[in-house]
Amino acid sequence: MAEGYPLVAADLPDLFKAAMRRLAASVSIVVARGDDGPVGMAATSITSLTADPPAVLVCVNRMTSLHASLVPTAPLSVNLLARHHKNVSMAFGGGMPRAERFQVGNWQPADNGLPALADAQANLECVIDAMLAYGTHSIVIARVIRARVSDTVEPLIYQDGGYL
Ligand SMILES: Cc1cc2nc3c(=O)[nH]c(=O)nc-3n(C[C@H](O)[C@H](O)[C@H](O)COP(=O)(O)O)c2cc1C
């Protein structure tokens, strides 16, 4: 093993975090229906799962306010952020109180009744098909029932604790 690249070490948790900081990911805002209105959260854990049926997965910490709204058959929306949406990501990533987050960005009601970010890279309207608890998080499988895409491809990328 090359010097400087320990495979297993006592400080594995720190090494894991350092490794994940090197994992660049595009940022989305995940929105669900809460008891008192929509609930939204910034997430980098969106992954394309299958095209048939069209489905994504998202990993959500059970401590987040979004998590309480996640149950099978519930609607879920995924808004893929564009490069100019850094302020939206920061607001929904914990930078703003939950009730004020939807004041940042141009949110408009979509067919499923949840707010959709009008100038997002893409908007996916989904229904939750399955959930799997693992560690501190739930893996949520969401089937896409409606999609809208923008003309340009300019995703907002998060890496090493900052935005590209
Ligand atoms: C760029 C970015 C990506 C994030 N990705 C995730 C994620 O994939 N899953 C998750 O549970 N939290 C993620 N978070 C953290 C949540 O957005 C943050 O904890 C948020 O404040 C939770 O909402 P709450 O304050 O309403 O509980 C991310 C935060 C940022 C800034």
Side-chain angles (χ1 to χ4, degrees), residues 41-45 59-61 64-65 92-94 98 101 137 158:
M41 185 192 89
T44 47
S45 59
C59 304
V60 181
N61 192 314
T64 62
S65 53
F92 284 80
R98 288 155 202 162
R101 291 176 189 170
H137 282 56
Y158 189 75

Side-chain angles (χ1 to χ4, degrees), residues 5-21:
Y5 288 84
L7 190 58
V8 178
D11 54 351
L12 181 58
D14 289 339
L15 287 173
F16 175 72
K17 285 178 193 160
M20 292 303 101
R21 289 174 78 90

Side-chain angles (χ1 to χ4, degrees), residues 27 29 35-36 41-42 44 70 84 90 112 115 129 140 150 162:
V27 188
I29 306 298
D35 289 340
D36 307 318
M41 185 192 89
T44 47
L70 305 180
H84 65 276
M90 291 172 75
N112 64 358
D129 267 353
V140 180
S150 67

